[in-house]
C-alpha cells in the first residue's frame, strides 16, 4: 500500500482550471453533490500523479455523466461513441504500446450498448485499464433502468420495481468477465466508508500498475452513488450502496493472476513493417512495378484519371476498377479504389471510384469524375451530370436504350455486352471497356494492364479471353467515328 | 498537529466528509457559498489527519489535508 503524502490536495494530474467548462465555475466538476464520479476521479488522478505517468496517460471518456472526463484530466483525452471505449482503447494501445490507456465507463455505456465491446476487449486481454462505474441506473438521462438496476428497484422505466421475469437480473459484470481466461485483474469496490475507500484506492493503483507492468487487462468495478437519480441525500445514497447494492454486487477480488504473469508478458510491442515489404505481404511483388508512364503524350484531362464506374452488380464493375487502380500503381503512380457495397451486390446498381495520380491522393472519393463508365441505364441517368466538362463518357449501348444529353463531353457509345458475348463470355464486357479506356486516354499501357490482371483475376484460365476483349475494345474505340 | 482546510467556494455541501469524519471535527456552515450551498467547515481543532474526508470528497479542490503541521 502506497504511503500517504503529508499534504493531500488536488492532484497535479487534474487541470489547474477546468477551462472547458462553459461557465465561470472552472474549479469545480459538473457532477451533482455527493456523486461517486468525483471520488473515483480523485483516486485515479492521485495514482497518475504518484506513478509519474501523466504525460503518457490517455483517458477515454464515455457517454454518460462522465462524458466530460476530458474536462478534468490533464492527460491525453479521447471522447468516444457510446460503449465503444474498449475498442478505441484497443486501437490506441496497439499503436502506442507505451501509453497508459484508461477507459472510464458507466453501466449504461459498458454493460448495455457496449456489452460486446468490453467482452471482446477483455477476452483479447488488451493491456488496458478499465474503470467501470456501476450506479445501477442511467444517471445523465434522468434515472432510467440500467442493466445493473437491482431487482425491485424503482426507476423511471421500471416504476413498479425491476422484476426478473420481466426485465431479467442485474448484470454482474465482474463475475462475468472473471470467467474469461485473459483478464489479469478484476475487482469490485465501493466508495462508502473509510475501509472501502482505502480498498478502492489500492484497487485503482493496482489496476493501473498492472498495465504499466504489461500484465494485461484489468477492470475495477466501482459501486457508486447517484444521489440525484436515486432521489436520496448523499449520505443516504452511501448507505443504500452498502445495504442494497452490495447484496447483489458483493465486493471483492474476482480475478487476480498478476503474480503469475511476468512483467511485459502481455505488452504488445508495435510491429512495424518496412514499406518495401507491403507489396510482398500483399502478394503483389513482381516485375512491372517500376514501369514509368509516358505522361507527355496523354491529353491533359486524363493525366490524373478520376474514374467513376457504375452498373449492375455482376457486370464486373469492381474488378474493372481494381484493374485500373492496380495498373496505375504498377506504372509507379499513386492510385486508390473504393467500392460501394450494399444491397447493390444483389443486382441493383453498384459503383466504384478509382483515382490515379502522380501526386499524393487526398480523398479516394470521386465526386467529379473525368472518366465515367456507365454499364447500365440507371448509372447513366444518375451520374451523367457529375462528369467534368471535357470528360469522357463510355456507355454500354447493349444495356442502355437512351442517349446522353450533355454536349460538353466526349462520348463513346460501346456495345460492350454484345462484343463480350461474341468473344465467348458476357463476363468480359468489363475488359472491353478497359480496352476502350486505354485507347481513348493513352495513359495506361496494355502490357501493364495484363500484368495487373494476373494479380487481380483469380481464375487464370480467363486471362487469354480477357486479353482478347481488351484488344477488341481498343480496336472499337480506335475505329469509332463519333 | 494535523488539520484540514475547506475551500468553501468549491464545496457542494454534500456532507460526505461530515459523515465520514471519525472524530466529528467537520460541520456545515451557515454561510451560503458561491455555488449556492452551505459548505463544510473545519471546527478548528481535533483533526487526526486520517485523510478520509479528502478521499470521500467528490470535488478535486474542496478539501486539503495537512497530516503533520
Amino acid at each position: 500500500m502506497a504511503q500517504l503524502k503529508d499534504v493531500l490536495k488536488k492532484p497535479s494530474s487534474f487541470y489547474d482550471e477546468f477551462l472547458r467548462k462553459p461557465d465561470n465555475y472552472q474549479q469545480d466538476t459538473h457532477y451533482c453533490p455527493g456523486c461517486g464520479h468525483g471520488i473515483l476521479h480523485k483516486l485515479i488522478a492521485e495514482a497518475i500523479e504518484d506513478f509519474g505517468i501523466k504525460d503518457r496517460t490517455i483517458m477515454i471518456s464515455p457517454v454518460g455523466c462522465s462524458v466530460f472526463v476530458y474536462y478534468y484530466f490533464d492527460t491525453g483525452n479521447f471522447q468516444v461513441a457510446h460503449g465503444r471505449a474498449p475498442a478505441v482503447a484497443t486501437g490506441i494501445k496497439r499503436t502506442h504500446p507505451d501509453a497508459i490507456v484508461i477507459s472510464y465507463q458507466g453501466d449504461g455505456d459498458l454493460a448495455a450498448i457496449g456489452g460486446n465491446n468490453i467482452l471482446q476487449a477483455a477476452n483479447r486481454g488488451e493491456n488496458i485499464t478499465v474503470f467501470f462505474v456501476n450506479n445501477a441506473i442511467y444517471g445523465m438521462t434522468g434515472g432510467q433502468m440500467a442493466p445493473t438496476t437491482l431487482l425491485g428497484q424503482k426507476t423511471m422505466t421500471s416504476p413498479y420495481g425491476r422484476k426478473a421475469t420481466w426485465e431479467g437480473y442485474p448484470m454482474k459484470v465482474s463475475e462475468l468477465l472473471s470467467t474469461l481466461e485473459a483478464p489479469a485483474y478484476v475487482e469490485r469496490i465501493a466508495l462508502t466508508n473509510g475501509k472501502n475507500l482505502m480498498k478502492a484506492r489500492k484497487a485503482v493503483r493496482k489496476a493501473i500498475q498492472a498495465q504499466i507492468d504489461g500484465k494485461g487487462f484489468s477492470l475495477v468495478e466501482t459501486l457508486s452513488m447517484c444521489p440525484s437519480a436515486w432521489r436520496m441525500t448523499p449520505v443516504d445514497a452511501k448507505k443504500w450502496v452498502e445495504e442494497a447494492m452490495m447484496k447483489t454486487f458483493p465486493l471483492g477480488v474476482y480475478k487476480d493472476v498478476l503474480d503469475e504473469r511476468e512483467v511485459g508478458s502481455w505488452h504488445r510491442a508495435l510491429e512495424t513493417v518496412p514499406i518495401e515489404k507491403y507489396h510482398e505481404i500483399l502478394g503483389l511483388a513482381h516485375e512491372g512495378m517500376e514501369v514509368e508512364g509516358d505522361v507527355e503524350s496523354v491529353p491533359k484531362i486524363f493525366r490524373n484519371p478520376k474514374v467513376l464506374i457504375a452498373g449492375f452488380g455482376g457486370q464486373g464493375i469492381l474488378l474493372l476498377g481494381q484493374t485500373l487502380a492496380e495498373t496505375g500503381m504498377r506504372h509507379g503512380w499513386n492510385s486508390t479504389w473504393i467500392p460501394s457495397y450494399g444491397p447493390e451486390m444483389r443486382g441493383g446498381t453498384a459503383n466504384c471510384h478509382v483515382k490515379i495520380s502522380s501526386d499524393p491522393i487526398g480523398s479516394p472519393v470521386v465526386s467529379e469524375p473525368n472518366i465515367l463508365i456507365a454499364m447500365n441505364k440507371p448509372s447513366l441517368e444518375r451520374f451523367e451530370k457529375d462528369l467534368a466538362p471535357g470528360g469522357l463518357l463510355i456507355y454500354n449501348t447493349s444495356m442502355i436504350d437512351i442517349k446522353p444529353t450533355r454536349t460538353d463531353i466526349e462520348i463513346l457509345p460501346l456495345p460492350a455486352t454484345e462484343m463480350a458475348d461474341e468473344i465467348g463470355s458476357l463476363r468480359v464486357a468489363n475488359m472491353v471497356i478497359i480496352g476502350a479506356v486505354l485507347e481513348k486516354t493513352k495513359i495506361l499501357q496494355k502490357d501493364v494492364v495484363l500484368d495487373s490482371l494476373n494479380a487481380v483475376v483469380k481464375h487464370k484460365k480467363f486471362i487469354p479471353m480477357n486479353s482478347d476483349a481488351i484488344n477488341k475494345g481498343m480496336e472499337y474505340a480506335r475505329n469509332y467515328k463519333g | 498537529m494535523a488539520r484540514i482546510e475547506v475551500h468553501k467556494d468549491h464545496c457542494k455541501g454534500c456532507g460526505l466528509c461530515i459523515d465520514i469524519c471519525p472524530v466529528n471535527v467537520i460541520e456545515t456552515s451557515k454561510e451560503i457559498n458561491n455555488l449556492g450551498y452551505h459548505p463544510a467547515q473545519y471546527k478548528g481543532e481535533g483533526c487526526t489527519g486520517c485523510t478520509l474526508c479528502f478521499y470521500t470528497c467528490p470535488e478535486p479542490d474542496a478539501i486539503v489535508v495537512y497530516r503533520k503541521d
Side-chain angles (χ1 to χ4, degrees), chain B:
Chain B
M1 269 288 272
R3 65 184 171 91
I4 66 162
E5 206 174 83
V6 178
H7 297 159
K8 65 180 167 71
D9 284 329
H10 305 320
C11 172
K12 291 175 179 165
C14 71
L16 290 179
C17 57
I18 296 169
D19 185 69
I20 208 165
C21 178
V23 287
N24 290 314
V25 296
I26 314 174
E27 62 190 354
T28 303
S29 166
K30 290 194 167 54
E31 188 189 342
I32 293 176
N33 69 3
N34 278 355
L35 298 170
Y37 299 108
H38 288 293
Q41 67 182 17
Y42 181 41
K43 288 180 184 172
E45 55 184 344
C47 175
T48 62
C50 77
T51 75
L52 290 182
C53 57
F54 175 80
Y55 287 112
T56 198
C57 175
E59 284 301 316
D61 198 23
I63 293 183
V64 179
V65 179
Y66 298 88
R67 293 175 62 224
K68 305 175 177 170
D69 77 352

Side-chain angles (χ1 to χ4, degrees), chain A residues 130-162:
Chain A
V130 180
F131 290 110
F132 166 43
V133 178
N134 175 359
N135 58 16
I137 207 158
Y138 279 78
M140 184 179 75
T141 48
Q144 291 82 4
M145 194 187 74
T148 50
T149 292
L150 305 186
L151 288 181
Q153 185 183 343
K154 289 180 181 170
T155 69
M156 189 179 276
T157 47
S158 57
Y160 305 111
R162 181 179 192 160

